[in-house]
Amino acid sequence: MSGPAPAVPVSAAAIAEGVRSGALSAVDVTRRALDAIDAQNPALNAFIDIFHDEAIAQARVVDHVRASGREVGPLAGVPIALKDNMCLSWGRTTCGSRMLAAYRSPYTLTAGQKLIDAGAIIVGKTNMDEFAMGSSGESSFFGPTKNPHDHTRVPGGSSAGSAASVAAGIVPVALGSDTGGSIRQPAGLCGVVGMKPTYGRVSRYGLVAYASSLDQIGPFARTVEDCALALETISGVDPNDGTSADMPVPSLLAALNTPIDRAVIGVPKQAHDPHNHPGVVNALGDAIDAFVKAGARIVEVDLAHVAHGIAAYYLVATAEASSNLARFDGIRYGHRATLAPTDELLDLYCKSRSEGFGPEVQRRIMLGTFALSAGYADAYYNTALKVRRRIKEDYDRAFAPNDRMGTPACHAILMPSSPSPAFKLGEKASDPLAMYLEDVYTVTVNLAGLPAITLPGTPTMVEGVSLPVGVQLIGQAFDEARLLRIARMLEGAMSQER
Ligand code: GLN
C-alpha cells in the first residue's frame, strides 16, 4: 500500500467496522494506540503497564483471521485498556499497591477474555487508587493520575487511568470497576461515558475483590453506543462466579435505536443539595431541559435514605474489604517484609502488611475490622445493612410507586454523578471525610445493586479552564437495555443544545 495510512476512527464501533471490512488493519490501529500511550503517559500517568509486544501479537492474530476469510468479532482490532485490579495471564496485576507490585496472575478475568474473544486488543493496564479505595486517583503506589483536561486536577477515582485514557483519546474503550462510584465519578470528572451494570450482570471472576457484594466491572467509552457494545460483550452468567446472574443478555446495540415514547424521568429531591458546585447545578438543569425538549416527563421522587448512603456504604465496604484483604499477608499473597533474626510469625504479618498497604487501605481495614467486631457489629455493620435495605426500597418505590395518586413509574432516575467537577491534586488527599463525600450520589446505587450510567453534561469554567461535569442516569435491575436507550436519548438531546 502507498500513501498515508487511513485515519483511525475515534469510535470502537467504527474501528471494528473498518477492521472487519478490511479498510483498517488491527496492527495499524494498535500501533497508533501504543504510540498515543507513549506520547501522553509521561504527563498523565494513566498506565501502570503497557503491552507493546503482546498487543501487536494479538492484533496480528485478528488481521490473520480476517485475511483467511474467517469471521472476526464485534470488537475486532479495538484497543482497550483494563484497570489494574483485573487479572491477566500476562503482565502484572498490581491493584495500584506496593503489596502486589510484583504480582503475576496465573489466569485471565472472564470479562477480559470475552473482550479478547470478540477481537479486542488489550494495550495496557491502567493506574488506580490503591485496591480501588479512593475517589481521586491519588492513592496509587505508582503515583497520581492527572486529569487530561487540566493536569493540575484529579481525574477522579478509583478507575483513574481508565477514565483518563479514554478522555485523552488514547483508547475508545476501557474497563473499570465500580464499588461505590469508581466508574461513574471519574467518567464525570473526565467528560466521558461510564457505566456500572446491575450487580451480577458481569462476572467478577478475575477482578481482585474490594467489597464483594458491591463490586461490578463496567465500561468507559466516549459514546453511549460504544458503551453498549462493550457492555454487551462482557455481560452474562459465568460458572466461575456464583454471583453472576443467569439472565438473558439482550442485544444492547440493537435496543439503542428504539426511542422511548413518553419517557418518565425521576429527579430526586435529594439531587438539589445546597452543597453542589454551581457547575453541577447548571449541568443537572440543562439535562432536565434537554429531556423535556425531547418529550420526556420529569417527576420528583423522594430517595429519603440517600442521606445515610455514605455512612452505610463506608461500613459495608470496609467490613467486606477487611475480610477480602486478609489474604495479603506476605505468605499467601503479596509483599513480604525482610525480618530481623529475632522476629516471629506475627512480625512477618505486621511488617509485611504495614509496608505493603498505604495509609488509606490500612484505615479501611481498621474501620471494617472494628465494624465487624464482637460487641460492635449490631451497632455498626448490622445497622448499615438495615439502611441498605431502606435505600433499596426507596429506589423500588420510585420505579414502581404503589400509591393511588397516579404518580407514574419512572423509567430512569437523573442525578449528578458527583457534587463537584475535578478538584485540585492534593486538595482532599489529607481529609478522608471530604474525599468520602465525593461519593454521595454514587454509593446508594451500589448498595441497591442497580445499573447506572454517567454521561458528559454541560461543562463549567473553573479558574479559566473548561471542566467536564457528569450527569448520572439510574435504571432498574437488569434493564440495561432501557437505561441505555434513555441515555442515548439524553446524549442526542444534549448534543443538539450545543
Ligand atoms: N470512592 C469509593 C471508595 O473509595 C468508591 C470506590 C470504588 O467504587 N471502587 O470506596
Side-chain angles (χ1 to χ4, degrees):
M1 239 166 59
S2 61
V8 173
V10 288
S11 90
I15 291 174
E17 188 44 46
V19 170
R20 264 202 305 268
S21 71
L24 288 172
S25 101
V27 167
D28 194 38
V29 175
T30 302
R31 268 211 187 99
R32 294 203 206 184
L34 292 166
D35 289 349
I37 300 179
D38 292 339
Q40 299 199 51
N41 202 47
L44 294 178
N45 199 25
F47 284 82
I48 291 177
D49 270 344
I50 307 163
F51 299 139
H52 291 99
D53 299 339
E54 296 87 346
I56 295 294
Q58 277 177 18
R60 284 216 171 92
V61 172
V62 171
D63 284 338
H64 178 76
V65 169
R66 204 207 80 83
S68 65
R70 280 174 289 156
E71 185 77 15
V72 290
L75 288 172
V78 177
I80 290 187
L82 301 185
K83 184 175 182 178
D84 206 18
N85 57 354
M86 302 185 187
C87 292
L88 290 178
S89 61
W90 70 95
R92 300 177 299 167
T93 300
T94 70
C95 289
S97 180
R98 181 179 183 196
M99 183 57 90
L100 291 177
Y103 177 66
R104 289 177 174 273
S105 163
Y107 68 99
T108 293
L109 83 155
T110 300
Q113 192 57 52
K114 285 184 176 221
L115 292 176
I116 296 167
D117 294 345
I121 314 298
I122 313 293
V123 291
K125 301 289 281 298
T126 58
N127 205 354
M128 56 182 282
D129 279 301
E130 186 177 8
F131 281 100
M133 297 173 184
S135 313
S136 68
E138 294 171 289
S139 74
S140 170
F141 174 62
F142 301 92
T145 301
K146 314 287 168 52
N147 190 313
H149 295 268
D150 178 347
H151 292 182
T152 68
R153 291 178 186 271
V154 304
S158 64
S159 311
S162 290
S165 62
V166 173
I170 294 173
V171 282
V173 171
L175 292 191
S177 64
D178 191 313
T179 305
S182 278
I183 294 175
R184 291 160 290 149
Q185 185 258 12
L189 269 47
C190 287
V192 297
V193 177
M195 183 162 182
K196 182 199 94 74
T198 311
Y199 182 80
R201 185 51 109 182
V202 177
S203 167
R204 292 182 297 113
Y205 181 69
L207 172 72
V208 179
Y210 162 14
S212 310
S213 78
L214 303 163
D215 299 340
Q216 265 293 289
I217 294 173
F220 288 92
R222 282 191 291 274
T223 60
V224 172
E225 184 188 32
D226 277 0
C227 179
L229 175 62
L231 180 59
E232 184 176 321
T233 309
I234 62 175
S235 292
V237 67
D238 176 9
N240 287 323
D241 174 6
T243 64
S244 67
D246 193 0
M247 302 278 283
V249 181
S251 169
L252 300 175
L253 265 189
L256 280 189
N257 297 322
T258 353
I260 301 222
D261 271 347
R262 288 191 282 272
V264 180
I265 307 298
V267 180
K269 286 182 192 159
Q270 292 77 10
H272 305 292
D273 190 290
H275 296 107
N276 287 346
H277 184 280
V280 170
V281 176
N282 184 51
L284 184 67
D286 282 357
I288 292 173
D289 291 349
F291 264 129
V292 170
K293 279 197 191 137
R297 176 169 168 200
I298 304 290
V299 297
E300 186 178 79
V301 296
D302 189 9
L303 301 178
H305 297 88
V306 154
H308 306 292
I310 291 285
Y313 169 81
Y314 277 93
L315 286 164
V316 173
T318 57
E320 294 186 23
S322 72
S323 161
N324 275 328
L325 270 58
R327 73 191 69 157
F328 304 109
D329 57 10
I331 294 181
R332 284 174 293 175
Y333 287 98
H335 168 81
R336 182 179 296 180
T338 313
L339 296 184
T342 51
D343 279 343
E344 298 184 3
L345 181 63
L346 195 58
D347 299 306
L348 171 64
Y349 293 143
C350 292
K351 286 187 176 173
S352 299
R353 287 168 69 81
S354 304
E355 289 174 9
F357 291 134
E360 182 59 27
V361 175
Q362 293 189 23
R363 180 181 297 120
R364 306 260 181 131
I365 292 172
M366 285 188 273
L367 278 173
T369 306
F370 182 75
L372 286 175
S373 58
Y376 291 100
D378 271 340
Y380 294 107
Y381 181 68
N382 291 331
T383 306
L385 291 185
K386 285 184 196 147
V387 173
R388 182 176 191 173
R389 193 157 56 239
R390 290 282 149 74
I391 287 170
K392 169 88 171 51
E393 288 163 3
D394 281 349
Y395 280 109
D396 288 348
R397 258 194 302 278
F399 286 120
N402 183 18
D403 62 24
R404 295 191 177 76
M405 309 292 287
T407 314
C410 297
H411 293 124
I413 293 173
L414 173 70
M415 295 212 262
S417 51
S418 67
S420 68
F423 45 96
K424 289 274 187 188
L425 286 155
E427 189 178 322
K428 300 187 182 185
S430 54
D431 185 349
L433 278 183
M435 193 71 90
Y436 298 172
L437 287 172
E438 262 299 292
D439 308 331
V440 60
Y441 292 121
T442 46
V443 291
T444 57
V445 175
N446 302 72
L447 288 166
L450 301 174
I453 183 167
T454 291
L455 303 179
T458 309
T460 184
M461 285 303 273
V462 181
E463 295 174 5
V465 181
S466 171
L467 294 178
V469 179
V471 290
Q472 177 182 208
L473 288 164
I474 302 158
Q476 278 184 275
F478 296 105
D479 205 354
E480 280 86 0
R482 182 151 71 176
L483 179 60
L484 284 159
R485 283 163 71 192
I486 292 173
R488 178 72 201 90
M489 176 179 174
L490 180 60
E491 180 182 55
M494 287 192 305
S495 69
Q496 276 174 15
E497 306 271 292
R498 284 181 196 145

